[in-house]
Amino acid sequence: MFFGPLPLRELEGAILAHSVRRGSVSFKKGRVLSAEDVTALRDAGLTTVTVAKPGPDDVGEDAAAARIAAALKGQEITIGAAFTGRVNLFAESRGLFVPDVERICALNLIDESVTVATLPAFAAVEPGQMVATVKIIPFAAPRGAVEGAEVEASAGMSALRVAPFRPLTAALIQTRLPGVKDSVLDKTVSVTRERLEAMGGRLVRDSRCYHGEAALADAIAAAGRVDLLLIAGASAITDRRDVLPSGIERAGGVIEHFGMPVDPGNLLLLARIGETPVLGLPGCARSPKLNGFDWVLQRIAAGIPVTRTDVMRMGVGGLLAEIPSRPLPRSGAVAVEPPRAPRIAALVLAAGRSSRMGGSNKLLADVGGEPLVVRTVESVLASQAKPVVVVTGHMAEAVSAPLAGRPLTIVHNPSFADGLSASLRAGLAALPADVDGVVVCLGDMPRVTPQAIDRLIAAYNPLEGRTVCVPTVHGKRGNPVLWDRGFFAEMAKLSGDAGAKTLLATHADQVIEVPVEDGGILYDVDTPELLAELRG
């Protein structure tokens, strides 16, 4: 890949290496320069510009990241759209993140241009949480490096997957000695139940017996069939020949391992009775705070076998005594929200009077056997934007009728005659409080693809100052536009028919132009001639 200054005559198709601001020109780095851009640079008095130009043996950053992410993707993982050489991967369900550590390391050793960052192995994740990101460092990667990464990622089982938590059933046996208060045992039951329910499991029974080998063996025999048996002793297990391991063996069980290199949680016992795993709990399991028992319990709940070797390998990262975080939400826990996919809604503004159409409502015009508004809405529904809110006004019932049965919300704007801003206010008011932003779509733009909307969502990143995402084709801005919720109050105060367009100049430092291969972002059906062209 070429990187360096080039004269203007060689700039078309090159990638701008650094942002350029001179006079009326304001181009951000990463922009693919068009012929019009080159003319603007010349008019601004520039003669050379530093750019990157991929060669025939290079793969563009977005294409390279998307290819590697697709090769990495495994069970219960979704892939975001590529933007600036980055593709994020997200968990589809609650469970444990399971990366192939050796293969990820091998992939990162292929070439400095290709990087993959992930959560730690066996991290507990929630639906929508980011688990990994693929980032191409320069504007393009060598084709050989990309192909090598694909081969490495595709070798054997999936390199990245999420093992969902199963609806585990468990029984808890507690041994007791004279003087042990019922309140202590009751608290252990409550904490254990919360641990299991946080992973979709159930504590189906609990029982108590004397702290002795024979009594414990009888209690185990009476526990019935469950997926997991948990035993909490009245005193800590101090040896393989102590009461809990002896009672398990007397009941026909096998002790697989005692102790673990995790603190708190050192005195955990791993055993088995037939095919049923049995855990002798360390004393810290009576507390909701993170301990080694959680790590073993999570794996069992996710259907991942736990061997004595697995337990003995938990030492690195196993010093948990000073870690305030919890593996899963439980009562009293204060947790920082992990990285997740942004919650981006979509507004489809379909309230206008079609004043330039000669009296007919363009949104109801037949295009390929269905109303134009249906084609627009179906494209939005196929994108990652959720939820979808459609704002109606003029001929509201007629516009709403063909949209019936689809997963969307319809909001009526009785003030539709006041212009686009009134519909924007009505739509914003209908959005859930937990959305991070919204893609504002026009009902008369049926050629906008789901991929274009997804690319806007991929570009959105408030931490990097990308809070307004505008699609472009060959440097020309179009619609829809993604707005961060921080602009909602300002958008609600707008008036007239210009929508939020006036805010783009006010907040130019927050605007990111997102190149898309989608001419539909420039095509709105405003006249009978454009409608005829669409039908043709």
Side-chain angles (χ1 to χ4, degrees):
M1 180 178 70
F2 171 84
F3 184 94
L6 283 179
L8 296 186
R9 65 178 181 277
E10 299 180 31
L11 287 184
E12 186 174 349
I15 304 167
L16 195 60
H18 305 290
S19 297
V20 173
R21 292 182 177 84
R22 180 178 290 194
S24 61
V25 172
S26 179
F27 295 160
K28 294 188 178 181
K29 69 176 182 179
R31 185 185 186 105
V32 178
L33 296 172
S34 65
E36 293 83 356
D37 293 339
V38 175
T39 300
L41 292 169
R42 181 178 292 110
D43 293 344
L46 294 169
T47 57
T48 62
V49 176
T50 300
V51 295
K53 263 197 167 182
D57 292 327
D58 294 318
V59 179
E61 56 178 353
D62 284 351
R67 285 171 56 174
I68 295 169
L72 288 168
K73 177 187 178 302
Q75 173 190 10
E76 300 297 321
I77 285 180
T78 56
I79 302 177
F83 187 72
T84 61
R86 182 185 301 279
V87 171
N88 297 325
L89 296 95
F90 304 93
E92 280 187 350
S93 58
R94 177 179 290 119
L96 287 190
F97 174 59
V98 187
D100 187 323
V101 175
E102 295 302 320
R103 282 161 63 199
I104 298 302
C105 289
L107 192 154
N108 279 321
L109 289 169
I110 290 173
D111 189 274
E112 65 181 20
S113 65
V114 175
T115 67
V116 179
T118 78
L119 292 181
F122 302 110
V125 296
E126 297 290 317
Q129 182 177 343
M130 188 189 303
V131 297
T133 184
V134 179
K135 180 70 173 85
I136 305 302
I137 301 301
F139 292 109
R143 188 174 305 279
V146 175
E147 292 174 351
E150 288 179 302
V151 170
E152 187 66 52
S154 302
M157 293 181 61
S158 301
L160 302 177
R161 66 186 179 94
V162 170
F165 290 133
R166 305 170 299 158
L168 193 73
T169 59
L172 172 65
I173 300 172
Q174 296 187 78
T175 67
R176 64 188 308 170
L177 290 169
V180 175
K181 296 181 179 180
D182 284 337
S183 60
V184 173
L185 304 182
D186 292 341
K187 179 182 178 182
T188 303
V189 173
S190 175
V191 168
T192 304
R193 178 176 288 111
E194 289 181 3
R195 270 192 165 93
L196 290 164
E197 290 178 352
M199 295 177 287
R202 291 185 301 126
L203 182 63
V204 295
R205 65 182 63 88
D206 72 278
S207 60
R208 300 163 189 185
C209 68
Y210 173 70
H211 186 69
E213 178 183 326
L216 176 57
D218 290 342
I220 291 172
R225 295 179 61 87
V226 287
D227 298 318
L228 174 64
L229 180 59
L230 305 173
I231 304 174
S235 63
I237 307 170
T238 58
D239 190 86
R240 271 179 167 265
R241 292 156 291 190
D242 210 339
V243 170
L244 263 61
S246 297
I248 292 170
E249 289 182 328
R250 182 164 179 162
V254 176
I255 306 304
E256 297 183 335
H257 188 70
F258 172 54
M260 67 185 312
V262 180
D263 186 23
N266 293 133
L267 301 182
L268 181 130
L269 181 75
L270 183 66
R272 186 170 297 277
I273 299 178
E275 296 300 317
T276 303
V278 181
L279 297 180
L281 305 188
C284 57
R286 298 184 186 275
S287 165
K289 292 183 179 180
L290 178 66
N291 63 80
F293 166 52
D294 287 297
W295 283 8
V296 176
L297 178 62
Q298 288 168 1
R299 295 198 196 189
I300 293 173
I304 300 173
V306 182
T307 67
R308 69 187 308 265
T309 302
D310 294 326
V311 173
M312 296 167 81
R313 287 181 177 273
M314 292 180 178
V316 176
L319 185 58
L320 306 178
E322 301 303 322
I323 295 178
S325 62
R326 308 272 171 89
L328 291 166
R330 289 200 288 272
S331 61
V334 178
V336 177
E337 186 177 18
R340 57 167 173 79
R343 299 185 182 103
I344 303 298
L347 286 184
V348 181
L349 306 183
R353 292 177 290 181
S354 304
S355 56
R356 298 171 61 188
M357 294 295 293
S360 63
N361 189 334
K362 60 186 175 184
L363 298 182
L364 300 176
D366 184 276
V367 180
E370 58 188 5
L372 184 150
V373 68
V374 171
R375 294 173 66 93
T376 301
V377 169
E378 286 186 341
S379 185
V380 176
L381 288 170
S383 76
Q384 295 174 357
K386 299 290 183 292
V388 174
V389 175
V390 179
V391 182
T392 62
H394 177 59
M395 299 180 66
E397 292 185 4
V399 172
S400 301
L403 300 175
R406 291 174 170 81
L408 52 80
T409 300
I410 294 178
V411 176
H412 178 60
N413 169 27
S415 304
F416 62 88
D418 293 341
L420 208 61
S421 59
S423 294
L424 191 58
R425 278 195 299 277
L428 292 173
L431 294 178
D434 64 348
V435 299
D436 299 308
V438 64
V439 180
V440 180
C441 310
L442 304 180
D444 63 351
M445 297 187 70
R447 286 184 173 174
V448 174
T449 65
Q451 291 77 18
I453 297 173
D454 291 347
R455 188 157 165 78
L456 294 178
I457 295 173
Y460 171 79
N461 190 327
L463 294 178
E464 297 182 8
R466 301 199 295 266
T467 54
V468 184
C469 303
V470 182
T472 65
V473 171
H474 304 305
K476 295 182 180 179
R477 291 183 174 184
N479 281 296
V481 175
L482 189 159
W483 295 87
D484 181 80
R485 71 170 301 108
F487 297 103
F488 287 5
E490 200 170 349
M491 294 164 73
K493 295 177 181 177
L494 295 169
S495 60
D497 203 40
K501 189 181 299 183
T502 57
L503 297 182
L504 294 176
T506 306
H507 300 285
D509 59 323
Q510 295 290 302
V511 175
I512 178 70
E513 292 185 344
V514 183
V516 299
E517 297 178 0
D518 182 3
I521 67 165
L522 305 175
Y523 187 90
D524 55 339
V525 183
D526 275 343
T527 65
E529 292 75 20
L530 288 172
L531 177 59
E533 179 184 327
L534 176 65
R535 286 169 166 167

